[in-house]
Amino acid sequence: WTAPCQVCGKMLKEGVGLFCGNFLIQRERSTHPCLTAYCGGCYTTYPNDPFPIQDRLGDEDEEDEGFVTDEPTSTRFRRGRNGDHLMGVPFECDVCQFINVYGRAPNFNKREDRYALMVIRRVSLDVMWSRETSTVEGNLSRARLDYATTQSAFDFP
């Protein structure tokens, strides 16, 4: 797969990034195939996202003891990561999920539709963060290795 990031325009190659599960598929209720892909770090919360995000495990400092992560708390649950689309729950872009729920494309001029898209993004990020970064990176590394092995074994382009 190859596509530009929807936010920064960087060309994403070999499935690295976040590719919609409907990538290149023409859906029933859509006028064109989905071409949505993001750099992991570009798939972020909306600026006006009102939902609280817990930065620590608990209310007391001692409850956080023993919990170690390389991920800064300023980015946890606030952005996607390359490879999140390969984990247990397939990633679908906000618009494709909106179509799944409402049976139509969103109207970006309607406040209700924009709010629904923001809620969909929040849920998607929460689902992505059900796995730690090291797990996502390990699975992405394995997928890239398998892809390279398949290319050489079967002479794929």
Side-chain angles (χ1 to χ4, degrees), residues 7-25:
V7 176
C8 72
K10 176 183 174 185
M11 189 57 68
L12 303 171
K13 300 176 183 176
E14 299 176 355
V16 175
L18 294 174
F19 284 78
C20 180
N22 298 311
F23 189 72
L24 297 178
I25 296 173

Side-chain angles (χ1 to χ4, degrees), residues 42-92:
C42 288
Y43 188 76
T44 62
T45 57
Y46 283 87
N48 56 342
D49 184 337
F51 301 104
I53 297 172
Q54 185 172 345
D55 289 331
R56 299 179 358 189
L57 289 178
D59 295 332
E60 302 294 325
D61 287 338
E62 53 274 357
E63 289 184 34
D64 286 341
E65 288 181 24
F67 179 71
V68 179
T69 179
D70 293 334
E71 196 71 33
T73 57
S74 62
T75 59
R76 288 181 66 82
F77 300 97
R78 290 177 174 86
R79 66 171 183 83
R81 299 155 303 184
N82 290 336
D84 272 324
H85 67 295
L86 300 173
M87 300 306 293
V89 179
F91 170 73
E92 284 190 1

Side-chain angles (χ1 to χ4, degrees), residues 1 9 17 20 24 43 48 51 69 88 90 102-103 105-107 109 125 127 151:
W1 299 328
C20 180
L24 297 178
Y43 188 76
N48 56 342
F51 301 104
T69 179
Y102 293 98
N107 179 343
N109 294 318
L125 287 167
V127 168
Q151 277 186 312

Side-chain angles (χ1 to χ4, degrees), residues 69-129:
T69 179
D70 293 334
E71 196 71 33
T73 57
S74 62
T75 59
R76 288 181 66 82
F77 300 97
R78 290 177 174 86
R79 66 171 183 83
R81 299 155 303 184
N82 290 336
D84 272 324
H85 67 295
L86 300 173
M87 300 306 293
V89 179
F91 170 73
E92 284 190 1
C93 70
D94 305 344
V95 171
C96 284
Q97 289 191 56
F98 185 97
I99 292 169
N100 292 343
V101 173
Y102 293 98
R104 63 176 175 82
N107 179 343
F108 293 97
N109 294 318
K110 289 180 67 178
R111 185 178 56 181
E112 297 84 8
D113 287 6
R114 290 192 311 270
Y115 185 78
L117 289 165
M118 181 175 55
V119 170
I120 289 167
R121 174 77 56 99
R122 177 74 263 147
V123 170
S124 293
L125 287 167
D126 285 348
V127 168
M128 288 176 188
W129 279 92

